Amino acid sequence: MDPAVNGKQSGVGIKKAFGVTNVRKALDASGSFHQSINGSFANLSISLNKTPNPRNGKGDKKLNKSGSRLAKTPVVDRFVPDRSNFEMAHYLLQSATDAANRNGKGQSDASGDGNNSDNKKNNSLYSKSLTENMLGVSDLNSVRVLSFAQRPKGPPEGYQNALKVVYQGSATTTQNTASKYRVYPKSPDRVLDAPDVVDDFYLNLLDWSSSNVVSIALRDQVYLWTAHSAEIQRVPCDSSTDDLLYVSSLGWLQDGSHLVCATDNGRMQIWDVERVKMIRNLRTDDSERIAAMSFRSHMLTEGNRLGTLRHHDLRVAEHEVMKRENAHAQEICGVRWSPDGRFCSTGGNDNLVNIWDSVNMSSTSQPVCTFSDHQAAIKAMCWSPSHSNVLATGGGTNDRCIKLWNVSSGTLLKSVNAESQVSSLIWSEAYREILSSHGFTKHQLTLWKYPEMSKVGEMMGHTGRILQMALSPDQTTVATVGADETLRFWRIFPPSKTSKDLKPGKPKASVMAGFHGVR
């Protein structure tokens, strides 16, 4: 074929496909047909679906919109094309011209042999492979020539931006952390002497009445401190003819004017503290010490060293209404009634916690559930004030764990390692916290946030193990007695600024107003 004719036909094909004006501008801007092709334009594309209008020389170009855009698109009044984009435009124009030439030649040689189809297929595969290697794209239709902003390249796989971590960390600090900060005392408000206190883990020697009187057993004597007036009284438990060595446990009745003192020989003395007079002496059929007791209205429940559990009705002469032998295989050192009076929990030196149903308690009754996960004696127990079926227990030296139980389902809710012997537990409803007192090895008080049981803080002060805790009637101050023969008062749960006034009948002044004699 004549080259002139061939060139003429090529020019006509280009004019029909793109328009003379657009082709000439593209060629002038590119500078040369044989410049090297830059392969970094994977984000550019041009659509040749519509033929330009030869009358006005303006092509109706359709731009393929990207699937995802930047969060903020810069505001501009016109396109600012990248000069290197014309390299791609030039390549696209020439490839379109070559395609038109091949189509014209194919029509003239339609009667040729059957090898033309194979050649076309091979040329198409070769052209696709060459485009992929040279330009870095597999499909030219996905290439954009003009765009407001090019999408930045993504980071390599596995790349971690350190500044992103700093940004995320600073974003979390915008929250108000002051409200989450828990202020608790580092030292006690008051320290008083407690000489001759019996250093025995199993005994319960401290209680705080609803009338704001603290009672503590010092061997065979019981002393009363009226917290708001600092008045001191002595209860002579050794005045009776019984062979008494020491008081093993004590507790206040709900009226706050009668005190029950249990002794090491199995006796229980009921004292009227206003008149300092013993009004009743309850006897049992054995002489084993009573280490734990708890009250439910007019009922007194106690456990002794033999593992026997008894119920006493303080209103009648025949006070013993129920005796359950072998409730535990060893000494019962913890007894607690639930707030609603439905369940009674007992902990023993046999490492068991038994839950008894008040509806069915007799000499042959069985506990509704038994927990055996502790590895030491269980003395520390307390019930949730808001959920009457949730119980917290603490183990001795070989266990050192605090566990939360659901007594209705008999399941373990949470277990945390307290790292020390647990001697007592107090549950604060206002703060949703549990306070634990400890013995070996640190002799500390520890605050735990319920229900996650994360440690809030520790309070040090005692030099010997803490034997017992008691909560004040306004539920703000905790009294602790330790083997170091000291009685310490800690204001751990102060009322918040938004809290309501105290309930009627309770003292509105500070329960510690009268304690001025600090050792």
Side-chain angles (χ1 to χ4, degrees):
M1 182 181 291
D2 189 359
V5 177
N6 188 13
K8 185 176 181 180
Q9 292 179 355
S10 300
V12 173
I14 294 174
K15 290 178 181 180
K16 291 181 178 180
F18 301 96
V20 177
T21 304
N22 293 339
V23 174
R24 184 173 299 169
K25 288 182 179 180
L27 295 179
D28 292 341
S30 63
S32 175
F33 268 51
H34 302 289
Q35 289 183 354
S36 61
I37 299 174
N38 190 349
S40 62
F41 312 109
N43 295 327
L44 306 175
S45 66
I46 183 171
S47 177
L48 303 177
N49 297 331
K50 291 187 177 181
T51 304
N53 189 352
R55 295 181 180 180
N56 52 17
K58 295 182 180 180
D60 186 10
K61 299 177 182 179
K62 179 187 289 185
L63 297 177
N64 295 330
K65 295 184 179 180
S66 175
S68 60
R69 293 186 174 181
L70 297 177
K72 293 183 179 180
T73 305
V75 179
V76 294
D77 59 346
R78 60 189 177 89
F79 285 104
V80 182
D82 189 356
R83 177 166 293 278
S84 59
N85 293 349
F86 290 105
E87 302 280 349
M88 180 65 72
H90 168 263
Y91 174 77
L92 293 174
L93 290 173
Q94 180 149 356
S95 62
T97 303
D98 295 341
N101 291 337
R102 287 194 298 270
N103 291 335
K105 186 178 179 180
Q107 292 176 359
S108 62
D109 298 338
S111 59
D113 55 6
N115 294 329
N116 291 335
S117 60
D118 296 338
N119 292 335
K120 289 181 180 179
K121 183 181 294 185
N122 294 333
N123 291 337
S124 176
L125 293 176
Y126 172 75
S127 177
K128 184 177 181 180
S129 177
L130 182 63
T131 304
E132 217 174 299
N133 290 310
M134 295 294 293
L135 303 180
V137 293
S138 58
D139 185 12
L140 290 177
N141 292 329
S142 64
V143 178
R144 172 178 275 181
V145 176
L146 298 177
S147 63
F148 278 107
Q150 295 185 8
R151 194 174 184 179
K153 293 183 179 180
E157 185 178 358
Y159 174 75
Q160 296 291 336
N161 187 1
L163 294 179
K164 183 178 180 181
V165 178
V166 175
Y167 173 76
Q168 291 177 349
S170 62
T172 57
T173 59
T174 58
Q175 299 177 357
N176 186 13
T177 57
S179 60
K180 297 182 180 180
Y181 184 72
R182 174 70 161 93
V183 179
Y184 57 90
K186 300 294 184 180
S187 60
D189 290 350
R190 301 288 187 269
V191 181
L192 300 176
D193 280 327
D196 296 330
V197 64
V198 180
D199 183 10
D200 193 327
F201 172 76
Y202 300 99
L203 306 184
N204 293 268
L205 306 177
L206 183 67
D207 199 9
W208 204 326
S209 73
S210 59
S211 58
N212 202 20
V213 178
V214 179
S215 60
I216 182 172
L218 303 179
R219 197 161 291 279
D220 57 351
Q221 305 290 320
V222 173
Y223 287 87
L224 308 178
W225 287 275
T226 304
H228 54 276
S229 63
E231 182 183 355
I232 299 176
Q233 286 183 328
R234 185 179 71 91
V235 178
C237 296
D238 58 346
S239 60
S240 62
T241 57
D242 298 331
D243 187 13
L244 173 64
L245 295 179
Y246 56 87
V247 176
S248 55
S249 64
L250 52 80
W252 289 93
L253 294 180
Q254 293 180 354
D255 57 6
S257 59
H258 294 85
L259 178 67
V260 180
C261 302
T263 63
D264 64 321
N265 55 9
R267 304 292 186 265
M268 289 176 292
Q269 303 174 6
I270 303 178
W271 289 81
D272 185 347
V273 296
E274 294 181 358
R275 297 182 297 170
V276 193
K277 181 180 180 181
M278 185 175 63
I279 60 176
R280 196 167 185 183
N281 190 0
L282 307 181
R283 300 175 181 270
T284 59
D285 56 0
D286 52 46
S287 58
E288 297 298 331
R289 73 176 184 183
I290 300 171
M293 65 174 65
S294 183
F295 301 92
R296 188 192 66 162
S297 184
H298 55 273
M299 298 294 296
L300 168 62
T301 304
E302 50 88 4
N304 65 8
R305 179 178 284 176
L306 297 179
T308 303
L309 185 67
R310 288 186 175 89
H311 285 333
H312 303 272
D313 190 344
L314 302 181
R315 299 172 300 176
V316 297
E318 299 295 331
H319 53 85
E320 186 175 311
V321 295
M322 193 278 291
K323 176 182 178 182
R324 176 63 167 87
E325 295 181 348
N326 298 321
H328 285 265
Q330 299 184 36
E331 181 174 12
I332 298 176
C333 49
V335 178
R336 287 292 183 274
W337 277 99
S338 61
D340 60 354
R342 171 70 187 279
F343 298 106
C344 178
S345 63
T346 58
N349 198 29
D350 54 357
N351 308 343
L352 297 179
V353 177
N354 289 334
I355 308 298
W356 308 86
D357 194 341
S358 61
V359 178
N360 183 23
M361 292 191 72
S362 62
S363 59
T364 59
S365 62
Q366 298 295 326
V368 294
C369 56
T370 299
F371 305 127
S372 59
D373 292 20
H374 284 288
Q375 305 300 319
I378 301 98
K379 171 190 175 184
M381 293 186 297
C382 68
W383 290 87
S384 170
S386 56
H387 300 83
S388 58
N389 61 337
V390 178
L391 174 69
T393 59
T397 305
N398 295 333
D399 184 72
R400 307 182 185 185
C401 291
I402 299 175
K403 299 181 184 296
L404 300 180
W405 310 91
N406 187 329
V407 299
S408 298
S409 60
T411 57
L412 176 64
L413 301 178
K414 193 76 174 181
S415 179
V416 61
N417 184 10
E419 301 178 355
S420 295
Q421 176 190 54
V422 185
S423 59
S424 186
L425 294 172
I426 289 178
W427 201 312
S428 174
E429 181 180 8
Y431 281 78
R432 294 180 62 85
E433 292 174 345
I434 296 177
L435 177 67
S436 58
S437 63
H438 300 273
F440 182 80
T441 59
K442 299 171 66 175
H443 321 305
Q444 84 280 14
L445 294 172
T446 305
L447 271 175
W448 307 90
K449 189 65 178 178
Y450 175 81
E452 59 271 15
M453 292 302 290
S454 58
K455 184 183 293 187
V456 177
E458 292 183 348
M459 288 151 281
M460 312 298 293
H462 283 280
T463 58
R465 66 178 174 183
I466 301 176
L467 301 173
Q468 186 74 17
M469 290 192 302
L471 184 63
S472 64
D474 63 354
Q475 300 183 355
T476 61
T477 306
V478 175
T480 60
V481 59
D484 55 357
E485 298 185 348
T486 60
L487 179 63
R488 300 171 187 260
F489 297 87
W490 313 73
R491 191 171 175 81
I492 301 177
F493 307 110
S496 61
K497 296 180 180 179
T498 58
S499 63
K500 297 181 180 180
D501 295 335
L502 296 177
K503 295 180 179 180
K506 292 188 177 181
K508 296 183 180 180
S510 173
V511 296
M512 299 301 300
F515 279 118
H516 301 291
V518 181
R519 191 181 72 167

